[in-house]
Amino acid sequence: DTGVSQDPRHKITKRGQNVTFRCDPISEHNRLYWYRQTLGQGPEFLTYFQNEAQLEKSRLLSDRFSAERPKGSFSTLEIQRTEQGDSAMYLCASSWAREETGGSLNYGYTFGSGTRLTVV
Amino acid sequence: EDKVVQSPLSLVVHEGDTVTLNCSYEVTNFRSLLWYKQEKKAPTFLFMLTSSGIEKKSGRLSSILDKKELFSILNITATQTGDSAIYLCAVEDDAGGTSYGKLTFGQGTILTVHP
């Protein structure tokens, strides 16, 4: 499989529990992004990595959220003490350097299928 | 703070109709505008626009960007039931260098096409 893989696909947890999601990007991609999408809304940016360095974090990423990409390959997103408001689809995407073909910029993102979190 | 606004939020049409979806944006460092189609899973890429006034087409879908007025439209002609989905507009932040920047998405337009 040469796409972006996310695990698990679905997660149901009780309020107050900790959860961890994993994202495996395309192997040669150096950037990895996390987004969160709630029902009826577009995806919202959470954070992104360049190799193992976390370059930016959204204000949406509270202290209960932490993301890592320890070796510049896969990434994990952990949510501690989950709340019902954390219920959402968590999307991962990866990208490589910008490329052009014939003067046109190539599209460079690949999204995973997401992890749907339900907090009960 | 970067902002992307889509309109209408929802649209119901019959097969064969033509629809126009709108996207306006306010971003500090614009690099590109993207359109996606989403059907219960991850967004599927449709178009990437970087230059004003150049229409991109793919079958019955087309899109154009106006960087002066800060908006884009997505047109779908001869709609089919399979076009029913959420259409997302996103703006890419200019992160500098050779890598792609983060995306700021609009809230999406829910399109329903009835037979």
Side-chain angles (χ1 to χ4, degrees), chain B:
Chain B
E1 185 174 317
D2 295 349
K3 190 175 179 182
V4 178
V5 177
Q6 293 186 243
S7 64
L9 293 182
S10 65
L11 195 53
V12 180
V13 299
H14 288 94
E15 272 192 320
D17 289 349
T18 294
V19 298
T20 298
L21 310 183
N22 304 296
C23 175
S24 63
Y25 62 91
E26 296 175 25
V27 297
T28 306
N29 298 303
F30 175 89
R31 201 156 190 188
S32 68
L33 185 143
L34 302 99
W35 284 97
Y36 290 89
K37 178 182 182 181
Q38 188 175 32
E39 299 170 276
K40 297 185 179 179
K41 291 190 176 179
T44 302
F45 170 73
L46 295 175
F47 296 110
M48 184 178 207
L49 304 159
T50 56
S51 302
S52 278
I54 299 175
E55 185 183 50
K56 293 213 170 180
K57 294 194 73 170
S58 177
R60 296 177 294 102
L61 278 66
S62 64
S63 183
I64 197 162
L65 172 68
D66 185 329
K67 290 170 73 174
K68 182 179 177 184
E69 299 298 329
L70 308 182
F71 79 89
S72 173
I73 60 173
L74 174 69
N75 280 317
I76 309 175
T77 60
T79 51
Q80 303 171 355
T81 54
D83 295 327
S84 296
I86 300 171
Y87 289 84
L88 295 166
C89 172
V91 174
E92 179 198 359
D93 176 61
D94 186 347
T98 59
S99 297
Y100 292 92
K102 71 177 189 289
L103 301 178
T104 300
F105 286 84
Q107 68 272 55
T109 293
I110 302 172
L111 175 64
T112 305
V113 182
H114 289 309

Side-chain angles (χ1 to χ4, degrees), chain A residues 8-38:
Chain A
R9 296 291 297 274
H10 302 274
K11 178 71 177 179
I12 301 175
T13 191
K14 290 185 178 179
R15 190 175 50 183
Q17 297 294 306
N18 298 345
V19 293
T20 300
F21 310 140
R22 177 177 170 127
C23 172
D24 286 271
I26 292 175
S27 58
E28 60 267 26
H29 283 188
N30 62 346
R31 285 212 169 174
L32 185 149
Y33 315 78
W34 284 99
Y35 293 86
R36 179 176 69 185
Q37 186 175 21
T38 54

Side-chain angles (χ1 to χ4, degrees), chain A residues 27-72:
Chain A
S27 58
E28 60 267 26
H29 283 188
N30 62 346
R31 285 212 169 174
L32 185 149
Y33 315 78
W34 284 99
Y35 293 86
R36 179 176 69 185
Q37 186 175 21
T38 54
L39 201 61
Q41 299 295 319
E44 298 170 295
F45 169 75
L46 293 179
T47 187
Y48 80 97
F49 294 84
Q50 169 102 5
N51 300 314
E52 65 273 11
Q54 189 171 18
L55 296 188
E56 187 175 342
K57 292 194 294 186
S58 163
R59 287 175 294 176
L60 294 174
L61 216 63
S62 75
D63 292 343
R64 298 184 297 105
F65 288 71
S66 62
E68 294 182 340
R69 195 182 182 198
K71 297 181 181 178

